[in-house]
Amino acid sequence: MNAEFVAVFVGSSIRFAAPLMLASTGELISERAGVLNMSVEGMMLSGAFLGAAGAWATGNAALGLAIGMLVVLPIALLQAFLSVTLRANQIVTGIGINILALGATTLAYRELFGERSSAVIPGLARWSPPGLGAIPVIGEPVFHQVWLVYLGLAILLATSLVMRRTALGVALHAVGAAPRSVDQSGLSVTRLRYGAVLFSGVMSGAAGCFISIGDIHTFTEGMTGGAGYLAIAAIIFGNWKIGRTVGACLLFGAASALQFQLPLIGVHVPTALLVMLPYLLALIAVAGLIGRQTAPLALTQPFRR
């Protein structure tokens, strides 16, 4: 196993982990605020379609990204309304939205592009940080990524600082642990939770756009393939901490990259086993086999004044 192979493997792992990191950044805030946004998968799929359709219609991938992120907001608003205002079961409503998104994007895709279309859609450009892309062997495969990867990392760092060092971060932590105390302090539990779910929607839309116009440059039916559920599992794997969640996303990304990298070095493993590996790791995380999990105390619990 030479250095070039390792560099390509690391670069592929980052590429596969990127949409998970984008989605889990938003979902982590939502869960910290007490709302389990199970509709991440549907939001990602909607973002992937809307971003691809926007890029195709305008001929500009950046505009497609903006469309994919913003037009997902009504779906996030619906999830927040059902979960926070109507106090409906967050798991059931999330899965329902996922099913609705799968059907709606499939229908819209067939109407817009045709049932067997393979139209090439304008994609987001790749970029390397100054100096890093010129490093021998590792520069090109590791650091030459879609610029949305670096924007996502910047948002991730900003989110971490907000959660750790600002009054808003303290309020979001508190509303997911003791919402009644937050209400008695004069802050609005409803507004905080709505804002957290909407942020989750925007980040999920960006994650979907990364898959369609950042990586593949086309849209296919159901192309997220459960990535939204993996993003939720990464948060559980990371014990609701940002740093550990990123590590879990990278682990899932590496597991996905193996199915393409192992055959290149002559290691023959059943394809089905490699495809299921990220989901097997997710199952281990959800089952609690990697240690004790400490979820926010009020997660999934509706608040009544």
Side-chain angles (χ1 to χ4, degrees), residues 233-282:
I235 294 170
I236 300 173
F237 203 102
N239 201 19
W240 287 270
K241 293 179 173 60
I242 290 181
R244 294 183 182 181
T245 297
V246 171
C249 291
L250 290 171
L251 178 62
F252 293 164
S256 297
L258 282 176
Q259 61 184 289
F260 301 99
Q261 299 301 317
L262 287 181
L264 297 179
I265 58 173
V267 177
H268 299 288
V269 179
T271 303
L273 178 62
L274 294 175
V275 170
M276 67 177 282
L277 186 56
Y279 303 95
L280 179 60
L281 293 174

mmCIF file of all heavy atoms in Angstrom, residues 233-282:
data_model
loop_
_atom_site.group_PDB
_atom_site.id
_atom_site.type_symbol
_atom_site.label_atom_id
_atom_site.label_comp_id
_atom_site.label_asym_id
_atom_site.label_seq_id
_atom_site.Cartn_x
_atom_site.Cartn_y
_atom_site.Cartn_z
ATOM 1 N N ALA A 233 -27.269 9.024 12.736
ATOM 2 C CA ALA A 233 -26.492 8.014 13.454
ATOM 3 C C ALA A 233 -25.123 8.550 13.864
ATOM 4 O O ALA A 233 -24.602 8.197 14.926
ATOM 5 C CB ALA A 233 -26.325 6.771 12.590
ATOM 6 N N ALA A 234 -24.535 9.427 13.024
ATOM 7 C CA ALA A 234 -23.229 10.006 13.357
ATOM 8 C C ALA A 234 -23.304 10.844 14.628
ATOM 9 O O ALA A 234 -22.361 10.875 15.424
ATOM 10 C CB ALA A 234 -22.726 10.857 12.191
ATOM 11 N N ILE A 235 -24.430 11.504 14.828
ATOM 12 C CA ILE A 235 -24.607 12.307 16.046
ATOM 13 C C ILE A 235 -24.674 11.404 17.270
ATOM 14 O O ILE A 235 -24.080 11.699 18.312
ATOM 15 C CB ILE A 235 -25.875 13.167 15.923
ATOM 16 C CG1 ILE A 235 -25.694 14.203 14.816
ATOM 17 C CG2 ILE A 235 -26.192 13.865 17.243
ATOM 18 C CD1 ILE A 235 -26.956 14.944 14.442
ATOM 19 N N ILE A 236 -25.387 10.290 17.150
ATOM 20 C CA ILE A 236 -25.449 9.337 18.261
ATOM 21 C C ILE A 236 -24.060 8.744 18.499
ATOM 22 O O ILE A 236 -23.612 8.625 19.642
ATOM 23 C CB ILE A 236 -26.469 8.230 17.944
ATOM 24 C CG1 ILE A 236 -27.859 8.830 17.735
ATOM 25 C CG2 ILE A 236 -26.511 7.191 19.064
ATOM 26 C CD1 ILE A 236 -28.899 7.848 17.246
ATOM 27 N N PHE A 237 -23.386 8.365 17.398
ATOM 28 C CA PHE A 237 -22.030 7.834 17.474
ATOM 29 C C PHE A 237 -21.113 8.835 18.179
ATOM 30 O O PHE A 237 -20.239 8.453 18.964
ATOM 31 C CB PHE A 237 -21.522 7.551 16.059
ATOM 32 C CG PHE A 237 -20.418 6.535 15.982
ATOM 33 C CD1 PHE A 237 -20.674 5.241 15.583
ATOM 34 C CD2 PHE A 237 -19.114 6.892 16.287
ATOM 35 C CE1 PHE A 237 -19.659 4.303 15.499
ATOM 36 C CE2 PHE A 237 -18.094 5.963 16.217
ATOM 37 C CZ PHE A 237 -18.364 4.655 15.811
ATOM 38 N N GLY A 238 -21.304 10.119 17.866
ATOM 39 C CA GLY A 238 -20.468 11.164 18.451
ATOM 40 C C GLY A 238 -20.939 11.668 19.792
ATOM 41 O O GLY A 238 -20.383 12.637 20.321
ATOM 42 N N ASN A 239 -21.980 11.028 20.357
ATOM 43 C CA ASN A 239 -22.483 11.371 21.684
ATOM 44 C C ASN A 239 -22.889 12.845 21.791
ATOM 45 O O ASN A 239 -22.660 13.495 22.786
ATOM 46 C CB ASN A 239 -21.447 11.030 22.764
ATOM 47 C CG ASN A 239 -22.074 10.877 24.135
ATOM 48 O OD1 ASN A 239 -23.286 10.676 24.258
ATOM 49 N ND2 ASN A 239 -21.275 11.003 25.172
ATOM 50 N N TRP A 240 -23.493 13.358 20.720
ATOM 51 C CA TRP A 240 -24.020 14.723 20.669
ATOM 52 C C TRP A 240 -22.945 15.786 20.916
ATOM 53 O O TRP A 240 -23.220 16.856 21.419
ATOM 54 C CB TRP A 240 -25.176 14.877 21.658
ATOM 55 C CG TRP A 240 -26.413 14.192 21.183
ATOM 56 C CD1 TRP A 240 -27.424 14.719 20.417
ATOM 57 C CD2 TRP A 240 -26.778 12.827 21.414
ATOM 58 N NE1 TRP A 240 -28.374 13.758 20.157
ATOM 59 C CE2 TRP A 240 -28.013 12.586 20.764
ATOM 60 C CE3 TRP A 240 -26.167 11.774 22.117
ATOM 61 C CZ2 TRP A 240 -28.638 11.359 20.786
ATOM 62 C CZ3 TRP A 240 -26.793 10.541 22.136
ATOM 63 C CH2 TRP A 240 -28.017 10.337 21.472
ATOM 64 N N LYS A 241 -21.712 15.498 20.505
ATOM 65 C CA LYS A 241 -20.610 16.455 20.571
ATOM 66 C C LYS A 241 -20.092 16.700 19.156
ATOM 67 O O LYS A 241 -19.949 15.759 18.367
ATOM 68 C CB LYS A 241 -19.490 15.942 21.484
ATOM 69 C CG LYS A 241 -19.888 15.849 22.952
ATOM 70 C CD LYS A 241 -18.762 15.310 23.797
ATOM 71 C CE LYS A 241 -19.088 15.385 25.286
ATOM 72 N NZ LYS A 241 -20.287 14.632 25.656
ATOM 73 N N ILE A 242 -19.805 17.944 18.837
ATOM 74 C CA ILE A 242 -19.467 18.304 17.465
ATOM 75 C C ILE A 242 -18.211 17.589 16.975
ATOM 76 O O ILE A 242 -18.195 17.001 15.886
ATOM 77 C CB ILE A 242 -19.314 19.831 17.335
ATOM 78 C CG1 ILE A 242 -20.688 20.509 17.462
ATOM 79 C CG2 ILE A 242 -18.691 20.200 15.995
ATOM 80 C CD1 ILE A 242 -20.659 22.009 17.317
ATOM 81 N N GLY A 243 -17.150 17.615 17.760
ATOM 82 C CA GLY A 243 -15.895 16.991 17.335
ATOM 83 C C GLY A 243 -16.040 15.504 17.084
ATOM 84 O O GLY A 243 -15.576 14.978 16.063
ATOM 85 N N ARG A 244 -16.698 14.813 17.989
ATOM 86 C CA ARG A 244 -16.887 13.373 17.831
ATOM 87 C C ARG A 244 -17.818 13.058 16.661
ATOM 88 O O ARG A 244 -17.647 12.047 15.977
ATOM 89 C CB ARG A 244 -17.440 12.769 19.120
ATOM 90 C CG ARG A 244 -16.480 12.834 20.302
ATOM 91 C CD ARG A 244 -17.076 12.141 21.510
ATOM 92 N NE ARG A 244 -16.211 12.232 22.669
ATOM 93 C CZ ARG A 244 -16.487 11.692 23.855
ATOM 94 N NH1 ARG A 244 -17.625 11.013 24.024
ATOM 95 N NH2 ARG A 244 -15.640 11.813 24.865
ATOM 96 N N THR A 245 -18.794 13.922 16.447
ATOM 97 C CA THR A 245 -19.710 13.717 15.316
ATOM 98 C C THR A 245 -18.957 13.822 13.999
ATOM 99 O O THR A 245 -19.185 13.023 13.074
ATOM 100 C CB THR A 245 -20.850 14.752 15.363
ATOM 101 O OG1 THR A 245 -21.617 14.562 16.559
ATOM 102 C CG2 THR A 245 -21.762 14.600 14.163
ATOM 103 N N VAL A 246 -18.052 14.780 13.886
ATOM 104 C CA VAL A 246 -17.230 14.896 12.680
ATOM 105 C C VAL A 246 -16.392 13.639 12.490
ATOM 106 O O VAL A 246 -16.263 13.111 11.370
ATOM 107 C CB VAL A 246 -16.326 16.139 12.753
ATOM 108 C CG1 VAL A 246 -15.321 16.155 11.605
ATOM 109 C CG2 VAL A 246 -17.157 17.411 12.727
ATOM 110 N N GLY A 247 -15.823 13.125 13.581
ATOM 111 C CA GLY A 247 -15.054 11.885 13.509
ATOM 112 C C GLY A 247 -15.901 10.724 13.015
ATOM 113 O O GLY A 247 -15.450 9.906 12.209
ATOM 114 N N ALA A 248 -17.150 10.656 13.478
ATOM 115 C CA ALA A 248 -18.056 9.599 13.033
ATOM 116 C C ALA A 248 -18.364 9.742 11.550
ATOM 117 O O ALA A 248 -18.413 8.745 10.814
ATOM 118 C CB ALA A 248 -19.343 9.631 13.852
ATOM 119 N N CYS A 249 -18.575 10.976 11.083
ATOM 120 C CA CYS A 249 -18.831 11.209 9.657
ATOM 121 C C CYS A 249 -17.640 10.755 8.816
ATOM 122 O O CYS A 249 -17.811 10.136 7.755
ATOM 123 C CB CYS A 249 -19.123 12.686 9.398
ATOM 124 S SG CYS A 249 -20.683 13.272 10.075
ATOM 125 N N LEU A 250 -16.429 11.056 9.277
ATOM 126 C CA LEU A 250 -15.226 10.624 8.554
ATOM 127 C C LEU A 250 -15.107 9.102 8.549
ATOM 128 O O LEU A 250 -14.694 8.504 7.550
ATOM 129 C CB LEU A 250 -13.984 11.256 9.178
ATOM 130 C CG LEU A 250 -13.823 12.764 8.965
ATOM 131 C CD1 LEU A 250 -12.681 13.313 9.805
ATOM 132 C CD2 LEU A 250 -13.581 13.074 7.487
ATOM 133 N N LEU A 251 -15.484 8.465 9.648
ATOM 134 C CA LEU A 251 -15.465 7.007 9.713
ATOM 135 C C LEU A 251 -16.446 6.406 8.713
ATOM 136 O O LEU A 251 -16.117 5.470 7.977
ATOM 137 C CB LEU A 251 -15.795 6.543 11.134
ATOM 138 C CG LEU A 251 -15.855 5.027 11.360
ATOM 139 C CD1 LEU A 251 -14.494 4.393 11.084
ATOM 140 C CD2 LEU A 251 -16.301 4.713 12.785
ATOM 141 N N PHE A 252 -17.663 6.955 8.671
ATOM 142 C CA PHE A 252 -18.653 6.480 7.706
ATOM 143 C C PHE A 252 -18.183 6.746 6.279
ATOM 144 O O PHE A 252 -18.410 5.937 5.374
ATOM 145 C CB PHE A 252 -20.000 7.159 7.937
ATOM 146 C CG PHE A 252 -20.672 6.785 9.236
ATOM 147 C CD1 PHE A 252 -21.720 7.542 9.736
ATOM 148 C CD2 PHE A 252 -20.257 5.682 9.963
ATOM 149 C CE1 PHE A 252 -22.354 7.200 10.918
ATOM 150 C CE2 PHE A 252 -20.878 5.331 11.154
ATOM 151 C CZ PHE A 252 -21.925 6.088 11.637
ATOM 152 N N GLY A 253 -17.546 7.910 6.069
ATOM 153 C CA GLY A 253 -17.024 8.227 4.744
ATOM 154 C C GLY A 253 -15.936 7.258 4.319
ATOM 155 O O GLY A 253 -15.891 6.830 3.157
ATOM 156 N N ALA A 254 -15.062 6.895 5.259
ATOM 157 C CA ALA A 254 -14.004 5.933 4.949
ATOM 158 C C ALA A 254 -14.591 4.566 4.626
ATOM 159 O O ALA A 254 -14.127 3.870 3.711
ATOM 160 C CB ALA A 254 -13.043 5.828 6.129
ATOM 161 N N ALA A 255 -15.639 4.174 5.346
ATOM 162 C CA ALA A 255 -16.289 2.894 5.074
ATOM 163 C C ALA A 255 -16.906 2.886 3.682
ATOM 164 O O ALA A 255 -16.861 1.873 2.971
ATOM 165 C CB ALA A 255 -17.361 2.622 6.130
ATOM 166 N N SER A 256 -17.467 4.025 3.265
ATOM 167 C CA SER A 256 -18.036 4.119 1.916
ATOM 168 C C SER A 256 -16.936 4.096 0.853
ATOM 169 O O SER A 256 -17.102 3.496 -0.217
ATOM 170 C CB SER A 256 -18.858 5.406 1.777
ATOM 171 O OG SER A 256 -19.961 5.411 2.656
ATOM 172 N N ALA A 257 -15.813 4.747 1.142
ATOM 173 C CA ALA A 257 -14.720 4.815 0.170
ATOM 174 C C ALA A 257 -14.082 3.451 -0.064
ATOM 175 O O ALA A 257 -13.547 3.196 -1.153
ATOM 176 C CB ALA A 257 -13.658 5.812 0.639
ATOM 177 N N LEU A 258 -14.149 2.573 0.907
ATOM 178 C CA LEU A 258 -13.516 1.263 0.773
ATOM 179 C C LEU A 258 -14.061 0.469 -0.403
ATOM 180 O O LEU A 258 -13.324 -0.280 -1.047
ATOM 181 C CB LEU A 258 -13.705 0.457 2.067
ATOM 182 C CG LEU A 258 -12.790 0.800 3.247
ATOM 183 C CD1 LEU A 258 -13.178 -0.022 4.457
ATOM 184 C CD2 LEU A 258 -11.325 0.557 2.881
ATOM 185 N N GLN A 259 -15.355 0.627 -0.680
ATOM 186 C CA GLN A 259 -15.950 -0.168 -1.762
ATOM 187 C C GLN A 259 -15.374 0.188 -3.118
ATOM 188 O O GLN A 259 -15.466 -0.599 -4.065
ATOM 189 C CB GLN A 259 -17.465 -0.008 -1.772
ATOM 190 C CG GLN A 259 -17.954 1.402 -1.990
ATOM 191 C CD GLN A 259 -19.464 1.513 -1.881
ATOM 192 O OE1 GLN A 259 -20.188 1.045 -2.744
ATOM 193 N NE2 GLN A 259 -19.927 2.134 -0.809
ATOM 194 N N PHE A 260 -14.742 1.363 -3.244
ATOM 195 C CA PHE A 260 -14.129 1.761 -4.503
ATOM 196 C C PHE A 260 -12.609 1.599 -4.485
ATOM 197 O O PHE A 260 -11.990 1.446 -5.534
ATOM 198 C CB PHE A 260 -14.478 3.220 -4.820
ATOM 199 C CG PHE A 260 -15.953 3.477 -4.918
ATOM 200 C CD1 PHE A 260 -16.651 4.029 -3.851
ATOM 201 C CD2 PHE A 260 -16.655 3.145 -6.066
ATOM 202 C CE1 PHE A 260 -18.016 4.259 -3.935
ATOM 203 C CE2 PHE A 260 -18.022 3.371 -6.159
ATOM 204 C CZ PHE A 260 -18.699 3.920 -5.094
ATOM 205 N N GLN A 261 -12.011 1.635 -3.290
ATOM 206 C CA GLN A 261 -10.562 1.621 -3.204
ATOM 207 C C GLN A 261 -9.969 0.213 -3.066
ATOM 208 O O GLN A 261 -8.890 -0.059 -3.604
ATOM 209 C CB GLN A 261 -10.103 2.473 -1.998
ATOM 210 C CG GLN A 261 -10.518 3.931 -2.078
ATOM 211 C CD GLN A 261 -9.982 4.619 -3.307
ATOM 212 O OE1 GLN A 261 -8.821 4.447 -3.671
ATOM 213 N NE2 GLN A 261 -10.828 5.390 -3.974
ATOM 214 N N LEU A 262 -10.651 -0.681 -2.372
ATOM 215 C CA LEU A 262 -10.095 -2.023 -2.167
ATOM 216 C C LEU A 262 -9.860 -2.781 -3.473
ATOM 217 O O LEU A 262 -8.810 -3.427 -3.631
ATOM 218 C CB LEU A 262 -10.990 -2.833 -1.230
ATOM 219 C CG LEU A 262 -10.957 -2.430 0.248
ATOM 220 C CD1 LEU A 262 -11.870 -3.338 1.066
ATOM 221 C CD2 LEU A 262 -9.527 -2.502 0.803
ATOM 222 N N PRO A 263 -10.807 -2.744 -4.432
ATOM 223 C CA PRO A 263 -10.538 -3.464 -5.692
ATOM 224 C C PRO A 263 -9.303 -2.968 -6.427
ATOM 225 O O PRO A 263 -8.682 -3.721 -7.195
ATOM 226 C CB PRO A 263 -11.805 -3.205 -6.518
ATOM 227 C CG PRO A 263 -12.865 -2.946 -5.502
ATOM 228 C CD PRO A 263 -12.171 -2.202 -4.404
ATOM 229 N N LEU A 264 -8.902 -1.709 -6.207
ATOM 230 C CA LEU A 264 -7.751 -1.154 -6.898
ATOM 231 C C LEU A 264 -6.439 -1.782 -6.441
ATOM 232 O O LEU A 264 -5.440 -1.744 -7.168
ATOM 233 C CB LEU A 264 -7.695 0.371 -6.692
ATOM 234 C CG LEU A 264 -8.868 1.173 -7.260
ATOM 235 C CD1 LEU A 264 -8.695 2.645 -6.957
ATOM 236 C CD2 LEU A 264 -8.981 0.949 -8.774
ATOM 237 N N ILE A 265 -6.432 -2.356 -5.239
ATOM 238 C CA ILE A 265 -5.203 -2.993 -4.738
ATOM 239 C C ILE A 265 -5.344 -4.510 -4.721
ATOM 240 O O ILE A 265 -4.564 -5.207 -4.066
ATOM 241 C CB ILE A 265 -4.835 -2.465 -3.335
ATOM 242 C CG1 ILE A 265 -5.975 -2.719 -2.337
ATOM 243 C CG2 ILE A 265 -4.484 -0.991 -3.383
ATOM 244 C CD1 ILE A 265 -5.593 -2.363 -0.899
ATOM 245 N N GLY A 266 -6.365 -5.003 -5.426
ATOM 246 C CA GLY A 266 -6.516 -6.444 -5.561
ATOM 247 C C GLY A 266 -7.181 -7.140 -4.396
ATOM 248 O O GLY A 266 -7.120 -8.365 -4.302
ATOM 249 N N VAL A 267 -7.779 -6.387 -3.496
ATOM 250 C CA VAL A 267 -8.486 -6.991 -2.366
ATOM 251 C C VAL A 267 -9.943 -7.168 -2.775
ATOM 252 O O VAL A 267 -10.660 -6.187 -2.993
ATOM 253 C CB VAL A 267 -8.393 -6.110 -1.097
ATOM 254 C CG1 VAL A 267 -9.193 -6.737 0.042
ATOM 255 C CG2 VAL A 267 -6.939 -5.937 -0.696
ATOM 256 N N HIS A 268 -10.376 -8.396 -2.889
ATOM 257 C CA HIS A 268 -11.716 -8.683 -3.372
ATOM 258 C C HIS A 268 -12.628 -9.033 -2.199
ATOM 259 O O HIS A 268 -12.487 -10.077 -1.574
ATOM 260 C CB HIS A 268 -11.682 -9.814 -4.397
ATOM 261 C CG HIS A 268 -10.865 -9.488 -5.608
ATOM 262 N ND1 HIS A 268 -11.275 -8.579 -6.559
ATOM 263 C CD2 HIS A 268 -9.647 -9.946 -6.009
ATOM 264 C CE1 HIS A 268 -10.356 -8.479 -7.506
ATOM 265 N NE2 HIS A 268 -9.359 -9.303 -7.200
ATOM 266 N N VAL A 269 -13.518 -8.127 -1.905
ATOM 267 C CA VAL A 269 -14.498 -8.294 -0.838
ATOM 268 C C VAL A 269 -15.869 -8.174 -1.489
ATOM 269 O O VAL A 269 -16.044 -7.332 -2.387
ATOM 270 C CB VAL A 269 -14.323 -7.221 0.263
ATOM 271 C CG1 VAL A 269 -15.361 -7.398 1.365
ATOM 272 C CG2 VAL A 269 -12.917 -7.293 0.841
ATOM 273 N N PRO A 270 -16.832 -8.995 -1.089
ATOM 274 C CA PRO A 270 -18.170 -8.872 -1.694
ATOM 275 C C PRO A 270 -18.682 -7.444 -1.666
ATOM 276 O O PRO A 270 -18.639 -6.772 -0.629
ATOM 277 C CB PRO A 270 -19.023 -9.799 -0.820
ATOM 278 C CG PRO A 270 -18.062 -10.816 -0.312
ATOM 279 C CD PRO A 270 -16.763 -10.088 -0.114
ATOM 280 N N THR A 271 -19.142 -6.974 -2.812
ATOM 281 C CA THR A 271 -19.600 -5.587 -2.930
ATOM 282 C C THR A 271 -20.713 -5.279 -1.940
ATOM 283 O O THR A 271 -20.745 -4.205 -1.327
ATOM 284 C CB THR A 271 -20.084 -5.307 -4.363
ATOM 285 O OG1 THR A 271 -19.027 -5.580 -5.280
ATOM 286 C CG2 THR A 271 -20.505 -3.855 -4.511
ATOM 287 N N ALA A 272 -21.625 -6.230 -1.773
ATOM 288 C CA ALA A 272 -22.750 -6.017 -0.860
ATOM 289 C C ALA A 272 -22.263 -5.756 0.562
ATOM 290 O O ALA A 272 -22.838 -4.942 1.295
ATOM 291 C CB ALA A 272 -23.682 -7.221 -0.890
ATOM 292 N N LEU A 273 -21.186 -6.444 0.971
ATOM 293 C CA LEU A 273 -20.642 -6.244 2.321
ATOM 294 C C LEU A 273 -20.084 -4.838 2.478
ATOM 295 O O LEU A 273 -20.298 -4.184 3.504
ATOM 296 C CB LEU A 273 -19.550 -7.276 2.592
ATOM 297 C CG LEU A 273 -18.843 -7.168 3.951
ATOM 298 C CD1 LEU A 273 -19.845 -7.376 5.093
ATOM 299 C CD2 LEU A 273 -17.711 -8.189 4.053
ATOM 300 N N LEU A 274 -19.393 -4.356 1.452
ATOM 301 C CA LEU A 274 -18.819 -3.009 1.520
ATOM 302 C C LEU A 274 -19.904 -1.944 1.506
ATOM 303 O O LEU A 274 -19.789 -0.916 2.172
ATOM 304 C CB LEU A 274 -17.853 -2.802 0.357
ATOM 305 C CG LEU A 274 -16.598 -3.675 0.376
ATOM 306 C CD1 LEU A 274 -15.789 -3.470 -0.897
ATOM 307 C CD2 LEU A 274 -15.740 -3.382 1.601
ATOM 308 N N VAL A 275 -20.966 -2.175 0.721
ATOM 309 C CA VAL A 275 -22.065 -1.216 0.665
ATOM 310 C C VAL A 275 -22.762 -1.108 2.007
ATOM 311 O O VAL A 275 -23.163 -0.019 2.449
ATOM 312 C CB VAL A 275 -23.068 -1.612 -0.440
ATOM 313 C CG1 VAL A 275 -24.327 -0.771 -0.346
ATOM 314 C CG2 VAL A 275 -22.427 -1.454 -1.810
ATOM 315 N N MET A 276 -22.896 -2.243 2.722
ATOM 316 C CA MET A 276 -23.624 -2.242 3.992
ATOM 317 C C MET A 276 -22.752 -1.796 5.163
ATOM 318 O O MET A 276 -23.270 -1.524 6.249
ATOM 319 C CB MET A 276 -24.188 -3.628 4.295
ATOM 320 C CG MET A 276 -23.133 -4.679 4.570
ATOM 321 S SD MET A 276 -23.832 -6.301 5.013
ATOM 322 C CE MET A 276 -24.279 -6.022 6.720
ATOM 323 N N LEU A 277 -21.425 -1.684 4.957
ATOM 324 C CA LEU A 277 -20.517 -1.376 6.061
ATOM 325 C C LEU A 277 -20.857 -0.076 6.792
ATOM 326 O O LEU A 277 -20.905 -0.057 8.037
ATOM 327 C CB LEU A 277 -19.071 -1.350 5.557
ATOM 328 C CG LEU A 277 -17.977 -1.175 6.619
ATOM 329 C CD1 LEU A 277 -18.098 -2.256 7.687
ATOM 330 C CD2 LEU A 277 -16.597 -1.220 5.974
ATOM 331 N N PRO A 278 -21.113 1.047 6.085
ATOM 332 C CA PRO A 278 -21.467 2.268 6.829
ATOM 333 C C PRO A 278 -22.729 2.102 7.674
ATOM 334 O O PRO A 278 -22.810 2.617 8.791
ATOM 335 C CB PRO A 278 -21.689 3.304 5.711
ATOM 336 C CG PRO A 278 -20.964 2.768 4.540
ATOM 337 C CD PRO A 278 -21.058 1.279 4.638
ATOM 338 N N TYR A 279 -23.698 1.356 7.148
ATOM 339 C CA TYR A 279 -24.955 1.160 7.879
ATOM 340 C C TYR A 279 -24.766 0.209 9.049
ATOM 341 O O TYR A 279 -25.431 0.335 10.083
ATOM 342 C CB TYR A 279 -26.034 0.658 6.914
ATOM 343 C CG TYR A 279 -26.246 1.599 5.757
ATOM 344 C CD1 TYR A 279 -25.592 1.403 4.552
ATOM 345 C CD2 TYR A 279 -27.057 2.726 5.893
ATOM 346 C CE1 TYR A 279 -25.756 2.287 3.491
ATOM 347 C CE2 TYR A 279 -27.227 3.611 4.835
ATOM 348 C CZ TYR A 279 -26.572 3.392 3.649
ATOM 349 O OH TYR A 279 -26.736 4.283 2.617
ATOM 350 N N LEU A 280 -23.833 -0.738 8.900
ATOM 351 C CA LEU A 280 -23.508 -1.623 10.022
ATOM 352 C C LEU A 280 -22.874 -0.827 11.157
ATOM 353 O O LEU A 280 -23.211 -1.013 12.337
ATOM 354 C CB LEU A 280 -22.558 -2.724 9.548
ATOM 355 C CG LEU A 280 -22.091 -3.720 10.617
ATOM 356 C CD1 LEU A 280 -23.285 -4.457 11.222
ATOM 357 C CD2 LEU A 280 -21.088 -4.712 10.032
ATOM 358 N N LEU A 281 -21.966 0.076 10.812
ATOM 359 C CA LEU A 281 -21.359 0.948 11.828
ATOM 360 C C LEU A 281 -22.419 1.832 12.480
ATOM 361 O O LEU A 281 -22.383 2.065 13.697
ATOM 362 C CB LEU A 281 -20.267 1.807 11.192
ATOM 363 C CG LEU A 281 -19.025 1.073 10.682
ATOM 364 C CD1 LEU A 281 -18.103 2.032 9.946
ATOM 365 C CD2 LEU A 281 -18.282 0.407 11.841
ATOM 366 N N ALA A 282 -23.360 2.319 11.670
ATOM 367 C CA ALA A 282 -24.442 3.142 12.216
ATOM 368 C C ALA A 282 -25.296 2.332 13.187
ATOM 369 O O ALA A 282 -25.703 2.829 14.239
ATOM 370 C CB ALA A 282 -25.305 3.687 11.088
#
